[in-house]
């Protein structure tokens, strides 16, 4: 058998587990700080994107020179709806999420008291309300206006689906949604 003539301290270390990786994606040892549980962290990232996005401008035209986001507000809301149905902790994370100070919004009805600054109120007062369109004027709209109205309707439907998913979960989350819904429908009283 082959025996090394070097002392043990001079032997080359084995390649396994030592040295640099051959991967082109070298880790910089960046740690990701989670906001609570992984479900809560993912929900907060998605909600941040929903609040940041301008739903009325989502994917209006494919020929637009503006940089289009990879996912639209509808996509974020659909993902959140699916997560709420699949993972109970996501519903609680949505109720705990507090928007930033820059995301302040008012009641959908003018002259009413401001709603609570939470996700459900944002859905009820910003995404679900639709402008009323006169059926006679609808035929006179150009293609861009029709596409924008279609996207607003999709945003509204996705936000409504998320609210239904939140109500489908029993417990305190259902009570919160119903309380916010009563406040919105009663005009802030």
């Amino acid at each position: 058998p082959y025996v090394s003539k070097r002392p043990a301290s001079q032997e080359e270390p084995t390649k396994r587990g030592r040295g640099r990786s051959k991967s082109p994606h070298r880790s910089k040892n960046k740690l990701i700080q989670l906001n609570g549980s992984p479900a809560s962290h993912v929900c907060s990232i998605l909600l941040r994107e929903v609040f940041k996005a301008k739903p009325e401008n989502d994917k209006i035209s494919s020929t637009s020179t503006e940089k289009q986001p990879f996912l639209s507000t509808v996509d974020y809301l659909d993902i959140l709806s699916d997560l709420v149905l699949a993972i109970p902790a996501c519903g609680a994370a949505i109720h705990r999420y507090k928007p930033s100070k820059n995301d302040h919004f008012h009641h959908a009805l003018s002259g009413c008291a401001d709603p609570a600054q939470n996700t459900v109120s944002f859905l009820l007062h910003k995404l679900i309300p639709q402008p009323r369109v006169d059926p006679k004027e609808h035929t006179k709209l150009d293609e861009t206006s029709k596409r924008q109205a279609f996207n607003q309707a999709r945003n509204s439907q996705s936000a409504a689906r998320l609210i239904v998913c939140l109500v489908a979960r029993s417990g305190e989350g259902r009570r919160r949604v119903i309380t916010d819904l009563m406040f919105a429908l009663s005009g802030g009283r």
Side-chain angles (χ1 to χ4, degrees):
Y2 175 74
V3 178
S4 173
K5 294 182 182 178
R6 291 185 198 171
S9 63
Q10 291 180 350
E11 294 219 10
E12 292 181 21
T14 61
K15 295 288 183 185
R16 224 180 306 163
R18 299 207 178 166
R20 289 185 151 179
S21 147
K22 301 288 183 195
S23 170
H25 306 290
R26 290 196 180 116
S27 169
K28 302 271 193 257
N29 291 333
K30 290 184 183 179
L31 296 176
I32 297 174
Q33 186 172 0
L34 295 178
N35 287 337
S37 70
S40 177
H41 182 71
V42 169
C43 286
S44 67
I45 290 171
L46 292 171
L47 286 169
R48 194 175 321 123
E49 292 299 318
V50 168
F51 276 87
K52 187 170 59 172
K54 295 192 175 23
E56 61 273 359
N57 295 331
D58 270 356
K59 297 184 180 180
I60 292 173
S61 173
S62 59
T63 61
S64 175
T65 59
E66 295 178 18
K67 183 180 176 185
Q68 295 294 328
F70 181 67
L71 295 174
S72 68
T73 305
V74 171
D75 298 328
Y76 289 124
L77 292 171
D78 287 342
I79 292 168
L80 281 167
S81 298
D82 292 340
L83 285 174
V84 166
L85 291 175
I87 305 169
C90 290
I94 289 173
H95 289 296
R96 279 194 309 267
Y97 182 80
K98 298 290 181 204
S100 70
K101 302 286 186 214
N102 299 335
D103 295 328
H104 185 77
F105 52 91
H106 302 288
H107 200 289
L109 300 173
S110 60
C112 294
D114 283 348
Q117 299 296 305
N118 60 31
T119 306
V120 175
S121 293
F122 177 78
L123 296 172
L124 289 172
H125 296 282
K126 285 294 263 189
L127 295 181
I128 290 181
Q130 294 292 302
R132 300 200 183 264
V133 179
D134 186 15
K136 295 175 186 172
E137 292 181 14
H138 183 69
T139 57
K140 299 175 187 174
L141 295 177
D142 62 336
E143 192 63 33
T144 305
S145 299
K146 286 181 181 179
R147 192 173 299 129
Q148 188 173 16
F150 175 74
N151 285 335
Q152 285 178 337
R154 285 184 59 214
N155 281 334
S156 179
Q157 290 170 350
S158 294
R161 179 176 179 247
L162 178 55
I163 288 178
V164 169
C165 292
L166 289 170
V167 169
R169 289 280 175 203
S170 62
E172 184 61 29
R174 180 182 290 170
R175 288 186 205 96
R176 286 182 186 179
V177 172
I178 292 172
T179 302
D180 287 341
L181 191 56
M182 285 179 10
F183 179 85
L185 294 176
S186 67
R189 290 184 217 130

